Amino acid sequence: MAGLYIHIPFCKSRCIYCAFYSTTHLGQRQRYVDALCREMAMRGRQDISTIYLGGGTPSQLTADQLEQLFETIHIYNKVAPDAEVTIEVNPDDVTPALCATLPRLGVNRVSMGAQTFDNQRLRFLHRRHTEAQVQQAVRMLRDAGIPNVSIDLMYGFPHETLADWRHDIDAALHLSVEHLSAYCLMVEEGTPLHRMGIDACNEELEREMYEELIDRLTAAGYEHYEISNFAKPGYRSRHNSSYWQDTPYVGIGAAAHSYNPPLTPPEGMGIRSWNVADLDEYMAGMERGERLMEQELIDGDTHYNDRITVALRTRDGLNLSLLTERQRSYCLKEAQRFLDDGLLQLHGGHLSLTRNGLFVSNYIMSELIMV
């Protein structure tokens, strides 16, 4: 079964750090939703185990537009009865009307961009919400019967101290959400943050903050199941896990990616494709009955490299039995020095990062891929 991702690129305002494809042209929402429905009809019937509305800000759609989307999802796809259905929201978009709509559509998981519980840092990011609205939004979602709430946090702000970060962790733990994702603030080229000339966080402080995050959340009963993700038992993100576990996924909308892994045995070719990252071009193409996209074929070695860079992000690690004998031999040969240094470990036929390995994960992955 596949995961279904639908990209909703609309934002009321842009955050200074965001490098995802987005637009503030809210007047295009209905035309875009119509185009999404056309693409789903065009792509054909899929067996779906997870649904994820990401953005952008999906909570900027109206109730009628969300209902149109979900009706179309169920017309053109076979959705598993126990499907995980996630929507990303901004805290200030969580209203009684939205909370009444989501359960009716089958949404059982909400991912909310909290980022920080400090109002000054929220203003720095150009976020629309306040610290109080995060807490209010979680209460409203609970009252509406949403059983699974995830929040995003950021650390490594300019002038942020370890004590500041501890305050954010305390506030997150107080909410007792089922899932938490945390990322160091990245200064990516092309973003307003980059144009402001902001420096990246000091590496030593970044490591201290990450160590604090791991220690506090694991002590509180969260499972550190992926480099940036923590979950209470039984609440791993099933949709995001599909990206790390080589599961097929279908991406609908402007800039959305789709993936079919190579067949087993590995002589088959996989396909990765992505829709045009332009709102007007995407909608015009759908209105002509044309999916504007690019794609690449994935051979065995490319697939191996993909597995290295995603599976090693997870606590479960890389299942060596899924590699060819040649790939497995190459991987273990290159991994030996990291095993000797205590940065990688072998357990039950899986290769995974140790805690110390987490801090040099990009380097380890770059050394294990085939060039």
Side-chain angles (χ1 to χ4, degrees):
M1 301 185 77
L4 176 66
Y5 174 80
I6 301 179
H7 188 64
I8 309 297
F10 302 103
C11 291
K12 194 172 182 179
S13 60
R14 279 207 180 97
C15 303
I16 62 172
Y17 57 87
C18 184
F20 291 112
Y21 177 70
S22 63
T23 177
T24 55
H25 295 160
L26 300 181
Q28 299 274 38
R29 284 176 292 182
Q30 186 57 54
R31 184 184 172 201
Y32 183 73
V33 169
D34 292 340
L36 293 174
C37 294
R38 289 188 179 98
E39 185 180 358
M40 280 189 271
M42 181 187 302
R43 299 287 290 274
R45 190 169 181 81
Q46 311 282 341
D47 289 336
I48 299 299
S49 59
T50 64
I51 299 169
Y52 195 106
L53 271 64
T57 315
S59 52
Q60 280 291 296
L61 295 185
T62 68
D64 287 345
Q65 289 163 349
L66 288 170
E67 288 175 0
Q68 179 183 346
L69 267 184
F70 277 92
E71 180 180 350
T72 305
I73 289 171
H74 286 277
I75 288 173
Y76 293 107
N77 300 280
K78 182 180 179 182
V79 180
D82 65 342
E84 177 192 84
V85 183
T86 304
I87 184 172
E88 292 182 349
V89 303
N90 265 28
D92 54 317
D93 288 337
V94 178
T95 62
L98 181 67
C99 289
T101 298
L102 296 183
R104 188 169 71 248
L105 300 178
V107 172
N108 50 32
R109 185 174 184 272
V110 170
S111 179
M112 185 163 53
Q115 314 311 357
T116 176
F117 292 89
D118 181 275
N119 286 331
Q120 184 176 345
R121 290 197 290 273
L122 287 170
R123 288 191 294 271
F124 166 75
L125 294 176
H126 290 194
R127 298 292 292 177
R128 293 186 278 117
H129 68 273
T130 65
E131 174 268 340
Q133 286 175 311
V134 177
Q135 300 188 43
Q136 181 184 22
V138 172
R139 287 196 298 268
M140 293 175 68
L141 292 168
R142 296 295 193 208
D143 291 343
I146 299 296
N148 189 350
V149 176
S150 175
I151 62 171
D152 290 350
L153 286 183
M154 282 186 169
Y155 57 95
F157 291 89
H159 312 299
E160 184 182 17
T161 66
L162 189 58
D164 293 333
W165 177 227
R166 287 173 178 146
H167 174 268
D168 273 357
I169 296 173
D170 286 340
L173 289 174
H174 181 73
L175 292 176
S176 193
V177 293
E178 284 71 29
H179 188 278
L180 192 147
S181 302
Y183 308 94
C184 187
L185 180 64
M186 302 295 291
V187 182
E188 297 196 47
E189 190 172 350
T191 63
L193 190 63
H194 181 262
R195 292 192 290 272
M196 291 165 62
I198 299 295
D199 292 328
C201 179
N202 172 276
E203 287 188 9
E204 182 178 345
L205 178 58
E206 177 185 342
R207 176 165 182 152
E208 289 179 354
M209 289 179 166
Y210 187 48
E211 293 263 20
E212 186 76 13
L213 175 75
I214 296 171
D215 289 342
R216 295 289 304 283
L217 265 62
T218 53
Y222 287 83
E223 176 189 20
H224 186 198
Y225 73 101
E226 193 270 345
I227 286 177
S228 302
N229 286 274
F230 301 79
K232 290 184 177 180
Y235 286 96
R236 293 186 182 190
S237 169
R238 287 168 51 194
H239 182 85
N240 288 340
S241 292
S242 69
Y243 301 144
W244 307 316
Q245 295 171 351
D246 210 34
T247 302
Y249 52 87
V250 179
I252 302 292
H257 285 59
S258 301
Y259 172 70
N260 279 307
L263 301 174
T264 303
E267 56 265 15
M269 299 286 279
I271 298 177
R272 185 175 10 252
S273 63
W274 52 96
N275 291 345
V276 61
D278 183 284
L279 186 68
D280 291 327
E281 287 188 32
Y282 170 78
M283 293 188 297
M286 285 298 112
E287 288 160 1
R288 295 193 304 268
E290 179 184 6
R291 181 185 169 214
L292 300 178
M293 60 89 175
E294 296 182 59
Q295 67 178 29
E296 64 172 334
L297 296 178
I298 304 170
D299 62 19
D301 287 349
T302 302
H303 186 227
Y304 163 83
N305 289 343
D306 288 346
R307 298 299 300 133
I308 289 293
T309 56
V310 292
L312 281 182
R313 292 186 60 86
T314 68
R315 176 180 177 178
D316 297 334
L318 177 68
N319 186 346
L320 295 172
S321 70
L322 300 180
L323 305 181
T324 66
E325 184 176 348
R326 179 179 67 86
Q327 291 169 346
R328 187 163 52 249
S329 176
Y330 175 87
C331 180
L332 289 174
K333 176 177 177 292
E334 297 300 319
Q336 189 57 56
R337 58 191 167 112
F338 300 115
L339 290 165
D340 293 342
D341 290 341
L343 301 175
L344 286 173
Q345 59 189 348
L346 282 169
H347 54 97
H350 289 67
L351 181 70
S352 64
L353 296 165
T354 64
R355 176 158 173 162
N356 284 334
L358 293 171
F359 300 98
V360 286
S361 58
N362 287 339
Y363 173 68
I364 294 172
M365 293 173 192
S366 71
E367 292 295 295
L368 297 186
I369 64 173
M370 293 182 177
V371 294

